[in-house]
Amino acid sequence: MTTAAIIRVPDSLAELDQWILWRYEQRDSGKPTKVPNQINGSHASSTDTKTWCSWGEALKAWQEHPRRWSGIGFVFSPRDPFFGIDLDQCLDDAEQLKPWAQPIMERFTDTYSEVSPSGRGIKIWGKGRLPGGGAAFPLGDGRVEIYDQARYFTVTGNHWRGQLLDVEEHQADLDWLLALSPHGQKKIPSKLGEGKIRKGSQHDTLVSLAGSMRRRGMGVDEIEAALQVTNATRLEEPAPAQNIKRIAASIGAYAPGDNRGPDALNSVGPAQNWDWPEPVPFRRRNTPTLPADLLPGFLGDMASATARATETPMELAAMLGLAVVAASVAKKVVVCPEPGYVEPVNIYTAVAMESGNRKTAVLNGMTRPFIDWEMSEAHRLKPEISRIASERKTQEARIESLRKQAAKSSNHTELMAQVAEMELSLPQVPIAPRLWTQDVTPERLGALMAEQGERIALLSDEGGIFDVLAGRYSKGVPNLDLFLQAHAGAAVRVDRGSRPPVMLRNPALTVAISPQPDVLESLSDKPGFRGRGLIARILYGLPASPIGFRELKPAPCPSAVEQAYGDGIDRLLKLAPPNDEAGLWLPWRLRFSPQAYDAWKVFQRAIEILMREGGKLYYLKDWGSKLPGAAARIAGVLHCVLVDPTESTVISEGTVERALNLVTPLMDHTLAVFNLMERDKVSEDAQKILDWIRKQGEPSFTARDCFCAHQSRFKTMDGIRLAISILEQHYCIRPRPKEVVSHRPSEAYDVNPKLLEASA
């Protein structure tokens, strides 16, 4: 379920008074159903306008009673120009579109669509008219429902691909989709008569039908979708879905317009790459893109300009910039969302990007104010540090001289008293201030934080710190304590061996790294990383790599934007809260305004629901339970960007909304990251075969050859077939038509040419 406080829909829908509330209720059969309701609690009707309300009224009712209602819905009416398409069960476990749904979504890419409450379907809004008011039919292993009146759609605000689009006109595409329905406006091109197709002629009929569609220019996925409909509705004994998929793939070997008959099918060689879809990367989910205008003020301007200049995803500059601001105000402010609850503002972020994505350029741009500040302070303090260091050396030399005299004197009491007094008055040599570090061990990091007022940032364009924490320098023994304690601000006490003790009262460590995805994938193998809670403390980003689609045109960051960013960070670094009696900072306590608190509370409760069994975060309860706190931290960081805490300590509703809008898409990024970590044997087997296919470099292979090459891994052919099916689902391979031979033919597969091109 999407949080009511941050849900957004197109204005063309929000301006209509066609909204209702809905909640799950149990049917007599025990199956839950979505029942429409009015804001007064009575049942609503999709045909009675008196039971509908405005967008604002529905949203407010949901915000005020999130446990009473499961969500809100939009009612289609003859008075509006809209239709809705519900693609049920069109997403697989990795939240990828199933093959039968891909050609549909390709036609509706520019209009508003969102993921359904179940997370397995997609709802599409468009402008157009249905001839009969509605249609519903099975397609593939799912179902398509189309309405333009007397029905309502649940609205989640979980925008498909993370894009909030307007509702566009799609009458032609609606007509095309209706053609796939057995009762649509048009019939699927065929030579079928009325009644069921008898067993024995089914295969030849389907092949002939597929060939007819291919000659008309239909793609493989469209052919398969149409065949699945025919299979389900017209065949006397429907064939397995996999058989239908193979027929469509086989016919796909023909070029559009090829007039050869189906008898030539067995002689067809590997298909060309014009009709192959792009191979789907393993364990990667579709992740929404952060809006360029999400961050405010100088931070948003700099993050957007840096992303444009480097042609990198917004997530990279945005999360790094947030960490820079957080490190600037760490220990200076804390956030108090409600009585008895305090959150520091330091954060941990990890945005995974493949090598070659200019991560270093982004890091240099966003950390430039830190580099300049450290150099300026080192230059300013150098004379003072040199003077005091010289004075200390002189004092130490005098102490050593007196100590030698005392050792030779029979009456050394007075000399030793002088030594003790001089040792107490030794001047402390100032340490050059530091704001951030990169390659550091946990032991040195603790000492560094003690030297730097218990606050520092670890900023890096790589993920080597994970190897350090896993025990690179400690004989394989993980050392996570400091990173766990310094995130929450818990006291640290370290007394080990010959090293000086490290005593930290309230440490604040900020972390922002950009490792390669493979580094995050390996975290599940590192002992203690999840069990002890380190992984749960990190805000993740896993954006798609733009490599291959960059314009490569110079677009340097404007000097005015860089100057404003530098000035903004400098202002935050100069902030100095009042001191307590011991001379320690008393941080400003930032509080939410009443409206901001309501928005945050609704979000917190919605996250709680998402962690229930079957919810989006059920398997990420450790991470999800920390998300409302992370949102509060980010709200505090953004407040400091917009408002000087010396002037106001009240965080506005708008600032909290920005923070919630930021962390909400990060849920999908985190699911993608944890999907990377949760490797299974079948996927690993598929990856092994994929590596073998790339190494072979051949356009086709047989299951027998593959088995012979992997006998040490697979004991039977059944194991290899399961891994091969995974490669089929990821569009890496597809089965070849079986040859007519006297002996039992070997299973043969064509390799996606795009896969081999990428390996060349």
Side-chain angles (χ1 to χ4, degrees):
M1 182 185 303
T2 305
T3 308
I6 57 177
I7 189 171
R8 294 184 297 164
V9 298
D11 292 340
S12 56
L13 299 179
E15 65 188 14
L16 298 177
D17 293 340
Q18 295 175 206
W19 295 88
I20 51 91
L21 297 155
W22 65 273
R23 62 185 170 209
Y24 285 111
E25 293 184 9
Q26 296 290 332
R27 290 176 175 169
D28 294 338
S29 62
K31 184 178 179 180
T33 186
K34 304 181 187 73
V35 177
N37 284 266
Q38 303 178 54
I39 58 176
N40 61 13
S42 303
H43 282 182
S45 170
S46 58
T47 58
D48 186 355
T49 60
K50 296 178 181 178
T51 63
W52 309 343
C53 64
S54 69
W55 157 257
E57 290 171 329
L59 189 61
K60 181 180 179 182
W62 187 24
Q63 289 175 340
E64 293 178 349
H65 304 285
R67 294 188 178 183
R68 183 178 184 184
W69 311 112
S70 300
I72 60 179
F74 176 81
V75 184
F76 292 95
S77 166
R79 300 179 304 176
D80 67 58
F82 305 120
F83 66 83
I85 302 171
D86 185 1
L87 303 181
D88 191 26
Q89 296 297 316
C90 67
L91 299 177
D92 60 21
D93 292 338
E95 294 186 0
Q96 299 284 344
L97 282 170
K98 294 180 180 178
W100 65 264
Q102 291 180 4
I104 299 176
M105 291 303 297
E106 286 173 1
R107 289 177 175 264
F108 294 93
T109 56
D110 65 337
T111 193
Y112 181 63
S113 57
E114 59 176 44
V115 180
S116 63
S118 68
R120 291 303 185 96
I122 292 178
K123 288 181 169 62
I124 305 168
W125 277 258
K127 291 181 181 178
R129 268 299 158 229
L130 282 84
F137 53 93
L139 197 59
D141 61 351
R143 182 175 176 81
V144 177
E145 296 184 11
I146 314 171
Y147 303 108
D148 65 355
Q149 58 184 287
R151 291 290 192 278
Y152 83 92
F153 270 8
T154 58
V155 175
T156 64
N158 185 6
H159 311 141
W160 177 244
R161 306 293 194 195
Q163 295 179 310
L164 175 59
L165 302 174
D166 203 355
V167 182
E168 302 294 343
E169 196 278 331
H170 274 277
Q171 184 67 56
D173 296 312
L174 176 62
D175 294 340
W176 169 86
L177 182 57
L178 287 170
L180 298 183
S181 168
H183 309 291
Q185 292 175 298
K186 305 174 184 177
K187 290 187 177 293
I188 300 169
S190 69
K191 302 176 183 178
L192 304 183
E194 298 299 327
K196 296 290 186 179
I197 303 170
R198 293 180 178 274
K199 185 178 180 182
S201 62
Q202 294 180 166
H203 177 77
D204 291 342
T205 302
L206 290 175
V207 170
S208 176
L209 174 59
S212 175
M213 288 187 283
R214 188 59 171 159
R215 285 191 292 273
R216 292 181 56 180
M218 293 178 69
V220 174
D221 292 333
E222 294 175 296
I223 294 172
E224 182 188 346
L227 291 183
Q228 295 287 8
V229 174
T230 303
N231 183 51
T233 60
R234 301 297 307 277
L235 267 60
E236 186 177 67
E237 186 175 314
Q242 188 63 23
N243 289 9
I244 304 301
K245 184 180 182 71
R246 293 193 180 193
I247 291 174
S250 299
I251 293 297
Y254 294 102
D258 194 331
N259 292 316
R260 286 180 295 169
D263 293 339
L265 184 62
N266 291 328
S267 64
V268 176
Q272 301 300 314
N273 64 358
W274 46 261
D275 66 338
W276 282 85
E278 290 292 331
V280 178
F282 277 79
R283 300 179 297 276
R284 286 296 298 270
R285 292 172 177 259
N286 295 317
T287 51
T289 302
L290 293 184
D293 60 350
L294 189 57
L295 298 179
F298 65 82
L299 175 59
D301 293 341
M302 184 62 183
S304 297
T306 301
R308 286 193 301 270
T310 57
E311 293 192 90
T312 53
M314 181 66 179
E315 290 82 357
L316 189 58
M319 301 304 283
L320 189 53
L322 273 174
V324 169
V325 175
S328 301
V329 297
K331 290 182 67 71
K332 299 178 181 180
V333 299
V334 294
V335 180
C336 306
E338 53 192 4
Y341 178 22
V342 178
E343 284 280 0
V345 295
N346 54 300
I347 59 175
Y348 289 5
T349 73
V351 179
M353 294 290 294
E354 293 87 351
S355 178
N357 273 288
R358 302 199 66 192
K359 296 184 293 184
T360 302
V362 176
L363 177 70
N364 290 341
M366 300 306 294
T367 58
R368 176 57 57 187
F370 273 15
I371 297 172
D372 292 343
W373 187 88
E374 286 184 347
M375 292 179 62
S376 176
E377 287 297 292
H379 179 74
R380 181 180 67 84
L381 293 174
K382 183 177 180 180
E384 181 73 2
I385 293 174
S386 298
R387 182 186 65 80
I388 295 177
S390 177
E391 181 180 333
R392 182 182 177 93
K393 286 183 179 180
T394 301
Q395 288 276 67
E396 289 173 341
R398 292 182 60 193
I399 289 171
E400 185 61 24
S401 177
L402 287 173
R403 184 174 281 112
K404 290 179 179 179
Q405 293 180 37
K408 298 177 181 179
S409 173
S410 58
N411 185 13
H412 60 272
T413 303
E414 183 177 347
L415 291 174
M416 289 306 300
Q418 292 182 44
V419 168
E421 183 178 352
M422 292 179 67
E423 286 179 334
L424 288 174
S425 63
L426 274 174
Q428 294 296 320
V429 179
I431 297 175
R434 295 277 303 278
L435 297 174
W436 66 298
T437 184
Q438 257 184 353
D439 188 4
V440 64
T441 64
E443 293 78 12
R444 175 55 190 149
L445 182 62
L448 191 58
M449 294 185 72
E451 296 170 359
Q452 300 297 328
E454 301 187 346
R455 54 195 292 269
I456 203 164
L458 192 159
L459 311 174
S460 176
D461 53 357
E462 297 295 343
I465 187 62
F466 289 129
D467 291 331
V468 174
L469 294 176
R472 175 190 289 174
Y473 303 119
S474 54
K475 299 181 180 180
V477 179
N479 189 354
L480 311 179
D481 290 354
L482 178 60
F483 279 73
L484 300 177
Q485 294 162 311
H487 180 268
V492 174
R493 296 289 185 272
V494 180
D495 295 281
R496 290 180 182 167
S498 59
R499 296 191 185 96
V502 174
M503 306 292 182
L504 304 176
R505 178 184 178 185
N506 186 28
L509 175 64
T510 299
V511 177
I513 58 177
S514 182
Q516 295 188 19
D518 288 350
V519 174
L520 295 184
E521 181 179 346
S522 68
L523 293 186
S524 59
D525 298 332
K526 300 186 185 300
F529 272 45
R530 183 163 192 185
R532 296 189 60 192
L534 176 64
I535 292 176
R537 286 165 163 78
I538 302 173
L539 296 171
Y540 297 96
L542 190 61
S545 171
I547 293 178
F549 299 93
R550 296 175 294 187
E551 295 183 0
L552 304 178
K553 295 179 180 179
C557 187
S559 57
V561 172
E562 292 180 329
Q563 183 64 47
Y565 177 67
D567 292 344
I569 298 299
D570 190 58
R571 170 179 67 83
L572 298 177
L573 291 174
K574 290 178 179 177
L575 286 175
N579 295 334
D580 62 12
E581 295 179 354
L584 302 175
W585 279 344
L586 285 173
W588 289 291
R589 300 173 73 86
L590 307 181
R591 292 178 170 82
F592 291 158
S593 71
Q595 297 82 1
Y597 174 73
D598 290 343
W600 178 82
K601 198 65 179 178
V602 168
F603 176 82
Q604 184 189 41
R605 288 169 175 163
I607 294 300
E608 190 71 18
I609 294 172
L610 289 177
M611 292 189 290
R612 294 175 182 173
E613 185 173 2
K616 189 173 186 177
L617 299 179
Y618 176 67
Y619 292 104
L620 298 181
K621 291 193 287 288
D622 52 346
W623 185 86
S625 62
K626 298 182 184 300
L627 190 57
R633 294 187 184 207
I634 291 175
V637 172
L638 298 182
H639 175 83
C640 293
V641 171
L642 294 168
V643 182
D644 195 312
T646 61
E647 299 175 359
S648 175
T649 56
V650 178
I651 302 176
S652 69
E653 180 184 13
T655 300
V656 169
E657 291 283 3
R658 284 182 181 271
L660 299 181
N661 285 336
L662 175 63
V663 300
T664 298
L666 294 186
M667 284 191 281
D668 290 311
H669 285 262
T670 301
L671 285 167
V673 169
F674 276 77
N675 195 34
L676 276 176
M677 298 179 194
E678 294 172 359
R679 295 171 297 174
D680 57 85
K681 185 180 184 302
V682 176
S683 294
E684 290 182 353
D685 289 344
Q687 184 65 57
K688 288 289 185 183
I689 294 176
L690 183 61
D691 293 341
W692 174 78
I693 291 172
R694 284 174 166 151
K695 184 177 180 180
Q696 295 294 108
E698 298 294 334
S700 63
F701 68 95
T702 66
R704 184 184 297 113
D705 291 341
C706 185
F707 179 72
C708 292
H710 298 88
Q711 289 192 56
S712 60
R713 188 177 188 91
F714 300 101
K715 303 305 179 185
T716 66
M717 284 293 292
D718 288 339
I720 209 165
R721 288 193 184 99
L722 192 57
I724 284 176
S725 70
I726 296 294
L727 295 180
E728 286 188 63
Q729 295 172 22
H730 285 73
Y731 308 119
C732 298
I733 62 174
R734 67 186 180 198
R736 296 193 68 188
K738 291 185 178 180
E739 299 179 4
V740 180
V741 293
S742 58
H743 57 83
R744 183 178 180 180
S746 177
E747 301 168 31
Y749 297 87
D750 289 335
V751 179
N752 190 332
K754 298 177 182 179
L755 197 68
L756 300 179
E757 290 172 2
S759 304

